[in-house]
């Protein structure tokens, strides 16, 4: 099952590589429009094999100084690992982690990040070196958000809000973000990639709609079915969310408006506040 508002057109490598950090929100729709792969729970062996094939990728162990670990084969492991991505995608990761630090600054510094994979030798955005699977984030004050532990479905409201806050930060820098509500394949990680840039919220996107529905339910008690269908109830709840956050402009067409709205959602989520 692929995101329902795009068609598969192959990978983007050279075009994305020259886009750079400054152009991330202006890449034309369709330039990087390969649909995300849902089967992206990568094994340790697949990631190690990817190191051999990543000749056109850059290698990193940290994102802007923050270490990135792998726990799928050894929970809690803090051994340094070589990851690969295109230069442009790494630049986006740097922008993302800086956003995350800024918007969650009350938690202290980010101690480490845990990922299930970036470049992996398989089809899709991962095979293009333009995707990240986020498993876990830990801050210096001891707070965590753990898609790996399915925090989107936690019985603790603060953990659900923090999960959504972290997802909102991902959505500021990456167009396709697939979460635990999207489908069973993503119940234990948040997938982010370059497909379909620039970032905005689309009513015909199942992933975007489920994020909006989950946000309205967890921050405003909207009681929406998280079904990925942008119907009148979702529209009404979204209008209320937008108004409560003081957002003006159109987040469906404007990247800057949507990014600003996401920042406000993240700020509320990290503070465990309703909207």
């Amino acid at each position: 099952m692929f995101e329902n508002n795009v068609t598969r057109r192959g990978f983007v490598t050279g075009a994305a590589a020259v886009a750079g950090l400054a152009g991330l929100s202006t890449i034309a729709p369709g330039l990087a429009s390969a649909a995300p792969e849902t089967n992206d729970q990568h094994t340790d062996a697949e990631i190690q094999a990817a190191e051999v094939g990543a000749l056109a990728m850059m290698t990193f162990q940290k994102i802007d100084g923050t270490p990135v670990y792998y726990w799928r084969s050894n929970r809690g492991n803090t051994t340094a690992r070589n990851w690969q991505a295109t230069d442009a995608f790494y630049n986006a990761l740097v922008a993302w982690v800086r956003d995350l630090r800024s918007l969650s600054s009350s938690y202290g510094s980010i101690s480490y990040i845990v990922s299930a994979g970036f470049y992996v030798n398989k089809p899709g955005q991962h095979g293009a070196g333009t995707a990240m699977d986020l498993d876990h984030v830990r801050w210096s004050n001891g707070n965590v958000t753990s898609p790996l532990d399915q925090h989107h479905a936690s019985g603790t409201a603060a953990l659900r809000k923090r999960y959504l806050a972290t997802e909102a930060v991902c959505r500021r820098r990456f167009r396709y973000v697939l979460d635990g509500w999207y489908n069973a394949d993503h119940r234990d990680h948040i997938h982010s990639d370059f497909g379909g840039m620039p970032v905005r919220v689309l009513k015909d996107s199942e992933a975007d709609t489920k994020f909006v529905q989950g946000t309205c339910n967890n921050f405003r008690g909207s009681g929406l079915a998280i079904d990925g269908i942008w119907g009148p109830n979702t529209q009404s709840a979204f209008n209320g969310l937008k108004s409560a956050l003081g957002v003006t402009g159109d987040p469906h067409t404007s990247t800057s408006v949507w990014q600003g709205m996401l920042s406000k959602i993240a700020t509320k989520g990290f503070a465990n506040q309703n909207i």
Side-chain angles (χ1 to χ4, degrees):
M1 176 180 179
F2 299 108
E3 180 63 318
N4 62 6
N5 65 317
V6 294
T7 57
R8 179 181 299 280
R9 299 183 187 176
F11 309 139
V12 171
T13 53
V18 299
L21 179 58
L24 289 180
S25 54
T26 57
I27 298 175
L31 177 63
S33 59
E37 289 289 338
T38 58
N39 183 23
D40 58 0
Q41 299 181 44
H42 318 301
T43 67
D44 192 42
E46 286 173 330
I47 294 172
Q48 289 177 356
E51 294 181 21
V52 177
L55 298 179
M57 307 288 167
M58 67 165 292
T59 299
F60 61 95
Q61 295 181 343
K62 300 178 180 181
I63 300 172
D64 198 42
T66 299
V68 185
Y69 301 132
Y70 180 78
W71 282 4
R72 291 298 174 117
S73 58
N74 184 7
R75 177 88 183 215
N77 183 28
T78 56
T79 303
R81 172 183 286 275
N82 288 333
W83 303 99
Q84 287 79 32
T86 65
D87 287 348
F89 194 75
Y90 180 78
N91 287 339
L93 291 170
V94 170
W96 165 74
V97 82
R98 290 177 181 177
D99 285 351
L100 188 59
R101 287 182 190 133
S102 175
L103 291 164
S104 64
S105 60
S106 63
Y107 291 2
S109 61
I110 300 174
S111 301
Y112 58 81
I113 295 163
V114 180
S115 176
F118 296 87
Y119 168 70
V120 179
N121 189 20
K122 58 170 56 175
Q125 293 282 322
H126 283 288
T130 55
M132 168 183 69
D133 287 343
L134 181 65
D135 275 3
H136 191 95
V137 181
R138 181 180 177 87
W139 285 267
S140 60
N141 74 344
N143 279 343
V144 302
T145 187
S146 187
L148 184 61
D149 294 319
Q150 302 183 40
H151 276 186
H152 73 287
S154 171
T156 302
L159 291 182
R160 298 195 304 273
K161 287 187 175 76
R162 195 178 302 155
Y163 178 103
L164 283 161
T166 303
E167 181 179 352
V169 181
C170 292
R171 288 178 173 275
R172 280 182 48 80
R173 298 296 173 179
F174 307 105
R175 170 66 193 94
Y176 279 119
V177 179
L178 310 179
D179 62 19
W181 288 286
Y182 181 67
N183 63 15
D185 284 340
H186 294 85
R187 66 188 180 279
D188 61 358
H189 65 283
I190 297 174
H191 169 100
S192 302
D193 71 46
F194 260 3
M197 293 288 273
V199 296
R200 56 257 165 94
V201 58
L202 301 182
K203 295 181 181 181
D204 61 353
S205 163
E206 179 182 352
D208 292 0
T209 301
K210 286 183 173 178
F211 169 73
V212 167
Q213 291 168 337
T215 298
C216 290
N217 285 355
N218 283 283
F219 287 92
R220 294 178 57 79
S222 298
L224 298 170
I226 303 182
D227 56 9
I229 300 170
W230 196 293
N233 291 340
T234 297
Q235 182 65 58
S236 177
F238 184 73
N239 290 344
L241 175 69
K242 184 182 168 188
S243 177
L245 290 171
V247 175
T248 59
D250 188 356
H252 302 298
T253 59
S254 170
T255 292
S256 62
V257 171
W258 181 228
Q259 286 178 322
M261 186 170 178
L262 290 167
S263 292
K264 292 182 177 184
I265 293 169
T267 298
K268 291 291 189 178
F270 288 127
N272 190 26
Q273 296 174 348
N274 291 327
I275 296 172

